[in-house]
Amino acid sequence: VPALVAAVADYTDCEVKLIPGGSGISGEDNRPAVPGYKVEKKEEHEEAVKLVLTHMGCDFLSQGVEVTYSGNLTAVSGIGASAAATVSLARAVATAQGKTLTEEQINQAGYEGEKGYHGTPSGIDNTAATYGGVLRFQRTEGDPSFVTKKLKTPVEVVYASTGITASTSKVVADVRSKKEADEAWFAGLIGKYEQLVAKGETALDAADWPELGQLLNENHTLCQELTVSCKELDTLVDAARAAGAIGAKMSGTGRGGLMLALTPGKESQDKVAEALLKAGAAQVWKTTFA
């Protein structure tokens, strides 16, 4: 199914050093993160690193590989932190190997790494992390299809964390079991979702923010029906709307993680951000999509 995605300006950086005569993977993860994220994701993160290194032909058995992460993107469920990490690792490995890779090759390496976190990733997060901007993305039987969108006018957005770290692979597995238990119900939700995406793309292209905001609200309702929202997300979504956001929804895996609010204008953005903090958000960020 198609989806609309926007990359934030914050970033994850990575440095890789190849150590002749050494063996194994070492390094540090200096990314900012919500409490518990790195512990919860430790095994998935380590597997993702191995998958990227293996895909890129970077032998970590007959040489040492030191991987150091930094940057200002907070590692939190729902923001695409895992994709930012795998894509930045792919770029760093290429630099260490003295190779010049295309963005497509970097994206593919990032996708391989995402398998460590998600099992069967859609490819949307690593694509957004690789190319940036606002994209229309669709997974296909072959290579994914995506189109870069250029907004007529920039728009302010607020996103906030519940502080809960969710396991994407576990949530995906649970949704898959619900789908298998009631195919008709799931097909009905997908049909509604596809209509929302089509309308959302039209509103996005026209910079019709009130219409897009309403569609975000409807999308959140579908996420609730799919059981991937939770009371903490719903509380933040409701608080954002009450403070003047013209639309708000959960983001990413759900059952924790992030929500986002559409807040055209700096005044609205500041007001909604303050309201989300008062409503109990673990962290709040402000950005602009352009």
Side-chain angles (χ1 to χ4, degrees):
V1 295
L4 298 170
V5 60
V8 299
D10 289 355
Y11 65 93
T12 294
D13 200 4
C14 183
E15 181 181 7
V16 168
K17 294 182 180 179
L18 306 180
I19 307 171
S23 179
I25 303 168
S26 62
E28 295 182 354
D29 185 352
N30 298 319
R31 296 175 297 167
V34 297
Y37 178 92
K38 293 180 184 178
V39 173
E40 177 71 23
K41 299 285 188 177
K42 183 176 185 296
E43 290 185 7
E44 295 177 353
H45 177 75
E46 291 176 350
E47 178 64 15
V49 171
K50 291 178 182 178
L51 287 171
V52 172
L53 295 180
T54 300
H55 175 77
M56 299 185 71
C58 185
D59 184 4
F60 52 86
L61 298 179
S62 60
Q63 68 177 341
V65 180
E66 184 180 277
V67 180
T68 304
Y69 288 101
S70 59
N72 66 350
L73 178 69
T74 300
V76 54
S77 292
I79 197 61
S82 64
T86 60
V87 169
S88 67
L89 173 59
R91 295 190 189 281
V93 171
T95 298
Q97 293 176 324
K99 295 180 179 178
T100 301
L101 302 185
T102 65
E103 292 295 84
E104 184 178 357
Q105 289 173 314
I106 292 293
N107 194 28
Q108 183 59 45
Y111 175 78
E112 291 300 316
E114 279 280 85
K115 293 178 181 178
Y117 287 93
H118 307 311
T120 308
S122 68
I124 189 171
D125 286 350
N126 52 274
T127 301
T130 300
Y131 294 95
V134 179
L135 309 171
R136 180 191 188 278
F137 177 92
Q138 184 159 14
R139 185 175 178 177
T140 67
E141 292 297 324
D143 293 333
S145 170
F146 67 93
V147 177
T148 301
K149 313 292 289 185
K150 179 61 179 175
L151 304 188
K152 285 185 175 180
T153 59
V155 63
E156 290 80 7
V157 173
V158 178
Y159 57 103
S161 170
T162 61
I164 300 171
T165 298
S167 169
T168 299
S169 58
K170 291 178 182 178
V171 175
V172 169
D174 183 53
V175 170
R176 184 181 294 114
S177 67
K178 293 180 184 299
K179 172 182 179 291
E180 293 169 351
D182 192 340
E183 294 277 359
W185 165 79
F186 188 81
L189 283 183
I190 291 299
K192 293 177 183 177
Y193 169 78
E194 289 177 330
Q195 291 178 15
L196 286 182
V197 172
K199 293 178 181 178
E201 185 172 14
T202 299
L204 191 67
D205 289 341
D208 187 346
W209 307 133
E211 171 67 7
L212 185 62
Q214 178 56 39
L215 294 168
L216 292 181
N217 293 338
E218 293 178 30
N219 182 262
H220 185 72
T221 298
L222 289 183
C223 291
Q224 290 173 315
E225 292 180 33
L226 194 57
T227 74
V228 294
S229 189
C230 61
K231 63 182 179 65
E232 292 85 356
L233 282 168
D234 292 342
T235 295
L236 295 182
V237 166
D238 289 343
R241 293 171 182 168
I246 60 175
K249 68 180 289 291
M250 56 157 277
S251 172
T253 298
R255 297 185 186 172
L258 294 182
M259 56 74 66
L260 63 87
L262 189 62
T263 56
K266 187 68 167 58
E267 183 178 348
S268 175
Q269 185 183 47
D270 290 342
K271 182 179 179 181
V272 170
E274 182 179 356
L276 287 168
L277 284 172
K278 290 180 179 178
Q283 287 182 285
V284 176
W285 300 268
K286 295 181 286 186
T287 192
T288 299
F289 293 155

